[in-house]
Amino acid sequence: PAFILISLFTTQGAFAAQIDYALTQSWPHIACRAIELVFASVVVHVLRKYRSIGWIAITRTIASPIEKSLEARMTAIAALVVATLFLTVIISNWVVAGSNTKKVVYSQLSQAAEITAQAMPLALDSGQSLIQTIAASDLGNLPEHNIQTFLASQIRSYPYFSELFFFDATGKPITGYPLNQLEDLLFQPSEDTGVQLALNGVEMQTYVISPGQSDSAAQLSYIALVRNNSKRVAGVLIGRTNLASNPFLQSAMQTWDAINKMGGQVGILDENQRWIMSTRADQVMTQSLIDYSQQIGRSEGLTSSGTREYREVVAMSTRPWFVVVTMPAIVAQQTVLENSIPLLLVLLVLS
């Protein structure tokens, strides 16, 4: 008990974390101290038995106050039993409640990860299908002055895309919607490469690009080759969508909001261990400090700041991307503390 109390008041962090460490993490230290005491007792016993010269010999003993009074003895034994039962119930309740709370937390993490892992491939495939549908329409046969009107009608018909832009067969930027100037589009190097590949015959490409000026997640850029009625190359069409506002990901975004309100974090890593989506906007398009690709499934780990967290990592089926959902351990510990306070008060009253 003394070691548990010392651990409780010397551990850094929130009060719930201090209690959790004292009741569940201090036992290895207690076991080490117990082994040291047992070993020391054995050594002293051996020395006392075989090398008695120089040891103080006890010739007269006096009974202690507890041995003289039956009432005092019974009171001491009762106090010891009550203290032992009290400590046992508190530790057992904390361990059981902590285990159940951890299961609930992992269930929520798993639900958010699975919904996202299932929604993202659908969003990617839908984008490819839609951009190819637009590219296979009459776009390749339209005169330049009608292209912007056509693109505007396609965005209204397919709210999947936030921006569409058309290049002619030479790679010259023609127009787009809602932005009709390439400079306003903030054209990115990967898209420039994609346009050149499309003009060389690559029918369909998908790129992850940086967020827009007011976006909180990366964008997907779909690049499709456009042909006319004669099957000749008429140009290249680019369609962009923001992952955070993508209509196919809104069910996943609801679970993200729930995890975020609890204090957790959700994100998606691409094959380069780069955050393309995250509940932390400052993480988007930055490299992950932890290699989550080696931690598929449930696990516990430490954050970059050294605090414990619960993790759920799910790999996507169609791309080498990973959904990462984490929750600080302090959230579960705080829940256990709130649920344990009523029992603690009842025990204090009964004792």
Side-chain angles (χ1 to χ4, degrees):
F3 196 92
I4 292 177
L5 290 175
I6 293 173
S7 300
L8 175 64
F9 293 109
T10 58
T11 304
Q12 299 296 323
F15 185 59
Q18 292 175 315
I19 294 179
D20 181 75
Y21 182 85
L23 296 182
T24 63
Q25 307 296 323
S26 60
W27 293 105
H29 301 284
I30 295 176
C32 291
R33 295 301 183 195
I35 293 173
E36 292 175 357
L37 290 174
V38 171
F39 179 76
S41 300
V42 171
V43 172
V44 170
H45 179 74
V46 171
L47 292 177
R48 175 69 179 83
K49 184 175 182 180
Y50 295 101
R51 299 185 62 179
S52 59
I53 300 176
W55 288 74
I56 299 176
I58 300 176
T59 58
R60 181 171 176 268
T61 58
I62 300 175
S64 65
I66 293 180
E67 292 176 334
K68 293 179 180 180
S69 172
L70 179 61
E71 180 181 358
R73 184 183 306 176
M74 295 301 295
T75 301
I77 294 175
L80 179 61
V81 171
V82 170
T84 302
L85 290 176
F86 182 82
L87 188 60
T88 301
V89 171
I90 290 297
I91 294 176
S92 301
N93 176 73
W94 185 272
V95 172
V96 173
S99 177
N100 293 335
T101 303
K102 186 186 298 185
K103 291 179 181 178
V104 173
V105 170
Y106 270 127
S107 176
Q108 294 172 324
L109 300 185
S110 178
Q111 182 182 24
E114 290 294 341
I115 291 177
T116 304
Q118 294 173 10
M120 181 58 75
L122 177 61
L124 292 171
D125 294 342
S126 299
Q128 292 179 357
S129 176
L130 290 174
I131 196 71
Q132 288 177 320
T133 298
I134 298 174
S137 61
D138 291 334
L139 178 60
N141 304 306
L142 294 175
E144 289 187 6
H145 62 272
N146 290 338
I147 291 178
Q148 186 179 39
T149 302
F150 175 81
L151 295 180
S153 67
Q154 295 303 303
I155 282 188
R156 286 191 291 267
S157 300
Y158 304 106
Y160 182 95
F161 295 107
S162 58
E163 297 171 342
L164 290 173
F165 205 93
F166 181 74
F167 296 78
D168 66 11
T170 64
K172 175 185 175 182
I174 302 302
T175 187
Y177 186 84
L179 304 174
N180 62 355
Q181 296 295 325
L182 187 64
E183 294 78 11
D184 299 331
L185 191 66
L186 299 178
F187 200 52
Q188 302 195 15
S190 58
E191 293 177 305
D192 186 33
T193 302
V195 170
Q196 299 305 317
L197 290 174
L199 294 175
N200 289 328
V202 179
E203 296 284 343
M204 180 68 219
Q205 303 164 71
T206 305
Y207 295 93
V208 178
I209 62 175
S210 301
Q213 293 181 346
S214 59
D215 295 334
S216 59
Q219 300 180 93
L220 291 179
S221 179
Y222 296 92
I223 302 178
L225 181 63
V226 179
R227 299 180 183 273
N228 56 25
N229 289 337
S230 302
K231 302 302 180 182
R232 293 183 178 179
V233 175
V236 177
L237 178 64
I238 291 181
R240 287 178 174 179
T241 182
N242 180 264
L243 289 172
S245 58
N246 189 285
F248 289 89
L249 295 177
Q250 292 313 298
S251 60
M253 292 300 97
Q254 293 177 0
T255 63
W256 286 38
D257 290 339
I259 295 295
N260 190 39
K261 289 178 181 178
M262 293 173 60
Q265 180 182 342
V266 192
I268 297 177
L269 288 170
D270 65 8
E271 63 274 14
N272 299 317
Q273 292 294 301
R274 181 180 57 175
W275 294 104
I276 60 174
M277 288 186 73
S278 177
T279 50
R280 285 182 51 188
D282 61 318
Q283 274 191 337
V284 176
M285 302 306 289
T286 63
Q287 291 293 127
S288 172
L289 300 177
I290 302 173
D291 186 7
Y292 289 104
S293 63
Q294 305 300 321
Q295 302 180 27
I296 304 299
R298 297 179 177 180
S299 63
E300 291 187 32
L302 297 177
T303 64
S304 57
S305 60
T307 58
R308 287 174 56 218
E309 67 177 6
Y310 304 132
R311 298 170 179 168
E312 182 79 25
V313 182
V314 175
M316 294 188 188
S317 57
T318 58
R319 279 177 174 262
W321 292 1
F322 305 92
V323 183
V324 181
V325 190
T326 62
M327 183 70 68
I330 186 61
V331 174
Q333 294 164 357
Q334 190 66 39
T335 303
V336 174
L337 177 61
E338 293 173 356
N339 295 333
S340 299
I341 287 178
L343 177 61
L344 177 62
L345 295 177
V346 171
L347 290 176
L348 288 174
V349 172
L350 294 178
S351 59

